[in-house]
Amino acid sequence: MYGEDAMSKTANKIDPVGKRFMFTGTLKSMTREQAKQRVTEIGGISEGVGVSNLDVVVIGDATGEAFKTAAVNKLRAVPRTVQIISETDFLTLGS
């Protein structure tokens, strides 16, 4: 499983400018529209993003562990490097 500590270390290395973001699971602190707005505010892209052109996946903090694990395993099969971070870590980007 891709643990919370590993996600935090990954988030610390992300420059959000120009990165394509996608959200999965249940967000705890904001709606998806608010999250997409935040992506724009920190210089990222959230519109028109698909798995094939994805840079960062944000997994909602209110998401169950089974879903998180399944999402991470599915993303590992994508033929490009995708960074996976938690919703909490997403909120710290651009700060």
Side-chain angles (χ1 to χ4, degrees):
M1 189 173 126
Y2 203 85
E4 296 293 324
D5 289 341
M7 281 193 237
S8 292
K9 290 176 186 172
T10 299
N12 291 334
K13 299 176 184 177
I14 295 174
D15 175 5
V17 177
K19 296 287 190 297
R20 294 170 300 258
F21 285 76
M22 180 181 281
F23 297 87
T24 190
T26 305
L27 300 176
K28 187 175 183 177
S29 65
M30 63 183 72
T31 66
R32 288 200 188 274
E33 286 306 312
Q34 290 169 325
K36 288 178 181 181
Q37 179 62 37
R38 172 129 173 76
V39 168
T40 301
E41 290 169 1
I42 62 175
I45 302 163
S46 64
E47 297 302 321
V49 175
V51 173
S52 63
N53 66 350
L54 185 59
D55 295 307
V56 182
V57 171
V58 179
I59 298 180
D61 286 349
T63 304
E65 288 301 317
F67 182 87
K68 286 181 185 179
T69 301
V72 168
N73 289 335
K74 189 174 185 178
L75 289 166
R76 286 186 176 153
V78 174
R80 61 179 277 129
T81 301
V82 177
Q83 294 173 305
I84 304 166
I85 63 173
S86 70
E87 177 182 350
T88 299
D89 290 331
F90 167 70
L91 294 173
T92 68
L93 294 179
S95 300

